[in-house]
Amino acid sequence: MSQNAAVKKALTAWFETRGWKPFKFQRDVWKAIAQGQSGLLHATTGAGKTYAVWLGALMAFMTKPPAPRATKAPGKPAPASALTVLWITPMRALAADTLRALQQPLEVLQGEQAASVWSAGARSGDTAAAERTAQNNRLPTVLVTTPESLSLLLARADAKDVLGGVRMVVVDEWHDLLGNKRGVQVQLALARLRHWNPELCVWGMSATLGNLEEAMHTLLGHGGGTLVQGQVPKKLVIDSLLPGRAERFPWGGHLGLTMLPQVIEEIAGSSTTLVFTNTRSQSEIWYQALLEAKPEWAGLIALHHGSLDREVREWVEAGLKKGELRAVVCTSSLDLGVDFLPVERVLQIGSPKGVARLLQRAGRSGHAPGRPSRITLVPTHSIEIVEGAAARAAIAAGHIEARFSPEQPLDVLVQHLVTVALGGGFVPDALYEEVRGTAAYAGLSRENWDWCLSFVRQGGPSLSAYPDYRRAVPDEAGVWRVPDARLARRHRMNIGTIVSDASMSVQYLGGGRIGSVEESFAARLQPGDCFLFGGRLLELVRIHDMTAWVRRASGKRPAVPRWNGGRMPLSTTLADAVVRQLALAGEGHYDTPELQCVRPLLDIQQQWSALPTPQTLLAELLKTREGWHLFLYPFAGRHVHLGLANLIAWRVAQHAPRTFSIAVNDYGFELLSATEVDWPTLLPQVLEAGPGEALLHEVLQSLNASELAQRRFREIARVSGLIFQGYPGEKRSNKQLQASSSLFWEVFRKYDPANRLLMQAEQELLAQELEIGRLRASLARMNTQQLVLQTLERPTPFAFPLMVELFREKLSNESLADRIARMVALLEKAAGGSVAVGGVEQVKGTLAFGQENSPSGNGNGNGRGRARRERKPSRPLPLL
C-alpha cells in the first residue's frame, strides 16, 4: 500500500471510530487541496470546517517529499524549522483549542512513516518563555498562531529560512479579520510568504459572510480560488424572551434587569448556557445580578470578558468544556470558534446589532454536526423585540452582512516595511509589486509608496533630524535594512494593529492579579471608592505604578467600569429587516410572537403618527416649551444618524444661524431648536444627497472634525511606530501617549501638512466612525422614499426614547427618573391605558443599566460645525 493510501485509510478509519461520515463539502475541500488549489470554505458553525481543511492538509502534504530547504551557510546555524502548515487564528484563546483539535488525528497517524516526524504547536502572546525558546531552535510542523505572532516571525533575521518552506496557510474565522487592520496585516504576510513560495496553498474558513467571492479574493490576492459552501442540515432556533407586557413608551434599556427572573428560569432549565452581552460593563452588571438573585449558584456561574486575567478566563473555558458550569456571562471574548460541546443554548442580552453576530453567537450552542443551535434574544428596549422576528426573516432569506477590507492603511504598510527590513531586508521595486498583489493595496500609487519609504527612512521632512526615525535605510547593495539594534527591539515589541486605551492592572493587596481596567476609569476613583469588577465588589486602596491596589468590600454602592468602544451600530441588513417587519405590522400582519407582544406600542405609533416602511421616510414634528423638535427615522444605525443629524443641522444653519441639540439611536435621530424651523419647506432641501466631494466637505464642516481626526491619529501614530508604547513591564499612561500623539499631530500640521498619516486620520474618521459610505447610501435611499411628515400633539413611542436621551445629558438620575415617570403617566393617560411603569423607583433602577445597554446615544452640536455641550437648565415639558 502506498504511503498516500495508508494516510487516507488511517484518517478514514479515525473518522469512522468517532461515528462520523465525511460530508460532501469536506470531500470537496480534500480534493481541492490535493490538486494544489487555494480557496475559501464557508459553512455553518460546528459543521466540521476544521477537519475539512486540516485532514486535507494531512492527506496532501504528509505524502509529499519535503520542499527544498536552504542549506547551511558557513558560520551560520542550520535553518530552525520543519514548518509546513501555518494556522492563523484571531484569538489567543482559540489557538489553544485549535491546537488540541489538530493534535487528535496526528496521534492516530503516528504509526505512519511521514507522521512520525510531524508535530504541532502554538505560538502567541500566551506562549511560555521555555516553549518559545524551544521553538526558536526548531518550529513544529504545524504552528497555530495569531497575525501579530506571524509578523514577529517575519521580523526574524532568518525569516526566509524559517518560513520559506511553508506549503499551506489556513486563516480561521476570516470574517473576524477581513474588515479591520489585522486582516490587512494578514494580507501583507501572505504576500511575503507567496514571494518565497509561489505554490503556497491558502485556505480561509468562515461561517458568517455575506460577500463570499469578494472575501475570497481579498484573502487570496489577485489569484483565483475555489469557493466551497458547506450545506449541512442543521436546525437553528431563534426566539425571544418576551416581557409580560411591552411598555408602549420605552426608553433606552428600560427593561433592564426586569427580565432577570425570566433569564434565571431559562438558565435553570438548561444544562449549560452562555449569556452574551454587548459590553463588558453590562456583563459585570448581569453576572452580579444573577449571583445576588441565586447565591446558591456561586461556583456554578462565571464571568468571562477580555479585561479579566488570562488565568481566570482559562479557568472559565475549562469549566465550560467539562460541563461544570451552569452559565457563563460573557462578551465577544467567547464569540469565536472555541468548541464548548456542553453548551445547550445561548441567551443574547439586548440587540445583537447584526445578523452575522447573531449567527456567530448562536453557533456557540450545539457546536457539533447534527446538534441544534438555539439563541434566545432578551430585549432591553421594547422596539428591540421586533429584531427577533426581523433576524429570523433575514436569515431565512440568506441576508448576511458583507465585510470589506480597509483600503490602503498606510500606518500598517509603514509597520510592514520595517518588519520586512528586519526579516532579511527588501529591494523597494520588488516589494512594491509584492504589496500591490494584496487586495488592500492593489491601487497603491507610486507617490504613496515613495512617501512610505521616505517615512521609514527619515520620518518625513519634519523628523529628518531625529535618529529614532531612521528605521530602515538602504545598504551598499540597495537592500533596505534596520540599521540600529535598539530600534529593531523597539519595533518587535510594538508589532501589531490592536490599539486600545492605556490599561491599569487591578490587583489585590498582597494577592493575585484580577485583570485590568482602562486608565480613564481608574483615574476618576478615590481611595475608599468601590467598583464592581470580575464579579467582585472591590474597594480602591491606592494607585501606584499603573496598578490599582484593591481589597474586597461589601455594603457600598459600586461604580461599574466603562470601556471605550463598547457601542456598536445596528447593521444595514438587520435595520432593513426591522423596517420590513414594521411595514408588515402596518398592514395588519402580526404573525410572530414578537410582533404580537409589541403590538400595543405599534398601534399607538400608527394612531398618533405612522410606521416606517421601505418606501417611506417618516418625520415627526413636535412643539413643546423646550422648543421645536424634529424626529427622523432613517433606520441606518447610530453612527450614520450622528453624521446625518449634524449634516442636516449644518445645512439648515446656512439659511439662518441656529443652535441644535441632537440625540441619536439606531432607529432615528432628534434635532431640537429653541427657535422655530420651517421643516416642511427646509427638510426636502437639506436631505439632498449632493455630489460626493461636496458631501464629504459638508460632513466634515458639520462636525468638530479636527478633534475627531486627532483622536483617530493617536491610533495611527501607534501602529505606524511614531509612538513607542513601552517594553514588557514598562507601562506608559494614557496621558503620556496622548501627549506624544498630540505633539506629532501639531508638528505635522504645521511643518508637514501633506503628511499622508494626517489624511489617513480624516479618511478613517469618515469611513469608520461616520460610515460615510453608508451615510451616502442612506441619503440616496431617502431621496427615493416618500417623505411622510407628521405633526404631533405629543411624543410617539418612537420619539419618546430620543427625548429621554436628551434629558440624560441635562438631569441627574433622580431628576430624570421623576421626569420619565411623570411623562409616561401622561402619555399612557392620553393613550387610554394605565401607567406603564411601577413608579419612580422602578425607573431609577433601570436608568444606569439603560446608559450602558441603550440602543440610543446623544450628542450636542450646532449648525456651525462646532460640537458643544449645552449647560442650560431643563424646563418642564407639557405633553398635551
Side-chain angles (χ1 to χ4, degrees), residues 178-213:
L178 171 58
N180 54 50
K181 291 180 181 179
R182 298 182 77 207
V184 175
Q185 192 177 6
V186 170
Q187 292 181 52
L188 290 169
L190 290 175
R192 181 98 290 229
L193 295 176
R194 287 194 199 96
H195 172 72
W196 291 329
N197 178 12
E199 303 300 318
L200 183 71
C201 182
V202 178
W203 278 83
M205 299 192 298
S206 177
T208 54
L209 275 171
N211 52 331
L212 295 177
E213 290 287 349

Side-chain angles (χ1 to χ4, degrees), residues 691-727:
E693 290 302 319
L695 177 62
L696 293 179
H697 172 75
E698 287 184 304
V699 170
L700 291 171
Q701 287 291 314
S702 68
L703 291 160
N704 190 355
S706 178
E707 181 179 340
L708 294 172
Q710 185 175 354
R711 188 171 62 197
R712 298 296 308 182
F713 181 78
R714 292 173 194 162
E715 300 181 4
I716 292 169
R718 296 190 208 181
V719 173
S720 64
L722 282 173
I723 297 175
F724 179 51
Q725 299 181 68
Y727 293 108

Side-chain angles (χ1 to χ4, degrees), residues 504-545:
M504 186 173 289
S505 293
V506 180
Q507 190 164 342
Y508 284 122
L509 279 174
R513 184 177 181 273
I514 307 169
S516 61
V517 296
E518 287 186 356
E519 181 194 355
S520 57
F521 169 77
R524 295 194 298 268
L525 298 176
Q526 298 294 327
D529 286 352
C530 293
F531 62 100
L532 195 63
F533 182 64
R536 306 170 178 91
L537 182 58
L538 305 173
E539 178 185 338
L540 178 67
V541 178
R542 65 175 181 271
I543 293 176
H544 183 66
D545 287 341

Side-chain angles (χ1 to χ4, degrees), residues 178-411:
L178 171 58
N180 54 50
K181 291 180 181 179
R182 298 182 77 207
V184 175
Q185 192 177 6
V186 170
Q187 292 181 52
L188 290 169
L190 290 175
R192 181 98 290 229
L193 295 176
R194 287 194 199 96
H195 172 72
W196 291 329
N197 178 12
E199 303 300 318
L200 183 71
C201 182
V202 178
W203 278 83
M205 299 192 298
S206 177
T208 54
L209 275 171
N211 52 331
L212 295 177
E213 290 287 349
E214 184 169 359
M216 182 175 69
H217 167 75
T218 302
L219 177 68
L220 303 182
H222 296 317
T226 301
L227 177 61
V228 178
Q229 298 190 59
Q231 304 295 333
V232 179
K234 185 176 178 68
K235 185 178 180 181
L236 173 63
V237 178
I238 301 172
D239 55 11
S240 299
L241 197 58
L242 302 175
R245 173 179 178 173
E247 312 295 359
R248 295 190 288 186
F249 301 98
W251 62 90
H254 74 99
L255 289 174
L257 293 172
T258 60
M259 300 293 290
L260 180 63
Q262 290 168 268
V263 169
I264 289 174
E265 185 178 347
E266 296 299 314
I267 292 173
S270 304
S271 58
T272 302
T273 302
L274 291 181
V275 182
F276 275 105
T277 66
N278 289 337
T279 67
R280 285 168 280 186
S281 302
Q282 191 185 356
S283 69
E284 293 277 356
I285 292 171
W286 272 90
Y287 174 74
Q288 191 65 25
L290 286 170
L291 208 54
E292 289 176 357
K294 300 289 288 186
E296 65 272 22
W297 282 0
L300 298 177
I301 63 174
L303 178 66
H304 191 289
H305 61 68
S307 291
L308 296 175
D309 192 61
R310 177 167 60 93
E311 291 184 3
V312 175
R313 299 197 307 270
E314 290 178 347
W315 177 86
V316 174
E317 292 162 14
L320 273 174
K321 288 179 176 297
K322 297 174 183 176
E324 297 173 347
L325 296 174
R326 179 181 291 275
V328 173
V329 183
C330 55
T331 63
S332 56
S333 57
L334 289 183
D335 260 5
L336 300 181
V338 180
D339 186 5
F340 299 126
L341 288 179
V343 175
E344 185 178 336
R345 66 181 303 187
V346 170
L347 300 179
Q348 166 65 44
I349 306 295
S351 169
K353 302 295 186 180
V355 177
R357 185 175 295 107
L358 181 73
L359 286 171
Q360 189 69 37
R361 292 182 171 181
R364 299 304 98 220
S365 65
H367 194 87
R371 293 182 59 183
S373 294
R374 181 183 179 188
I375 186 167
T376 301
L377 304 183
V378 183
T380 61
H381 187 289
S382 288
I383 305 177
E384 279 182 357
I385 295 173
V386 180
E387 293 186 26
R392 277 200 306 275
I395 291 170
H399 296 159
I400 303 175
E401 291 85 4
R403 306 197 188 195
F404 304 96
S405 171
E407 293 186 13
Q408 300 184 37
L410 297 186
D411 56 342

Side-chain angles (χ1 to χ4, degrees), residues 139-213:
L139 286 166
T141 321
V142 55
L143 182 68
V144 183
T145 190
T146 61
E148 293 74 25
S149 291
L150 175 55
S151 291
L152 275 169
L153 289 175
L154 289 172
R156 290 175 53 150
D158 60 349
K160 184 176 181 179
D161 293 338
V162 171
L163 300 172
V166 172
R167 302 182 190 179
M168 183 173 184
V169 178
V170 181
V171 184
D172 201 355
E173 308 284 1
W174 176 229
H175 60 269
D176 190 68
L177 296 168
L178 171 58
N180 54 50
K181 291 180 181 179
R182 298 182 77 207
V184 175
Q185 192 177 6
V186 170
Q187 292 181 52
L188 290 169
L190 290 175
R192 181 98 290 229
L193 295 176
R194 287 194 199 96
H195 172 72
W196 291 329
N197 178 12
E199 303 300 318
L200 183 71
C201 182
V202 178
W203 278 83
M205 299 192 298
S206 177
T208 54
L209 275 171
N211 52 331
L212 295 177
E213 290 287 349

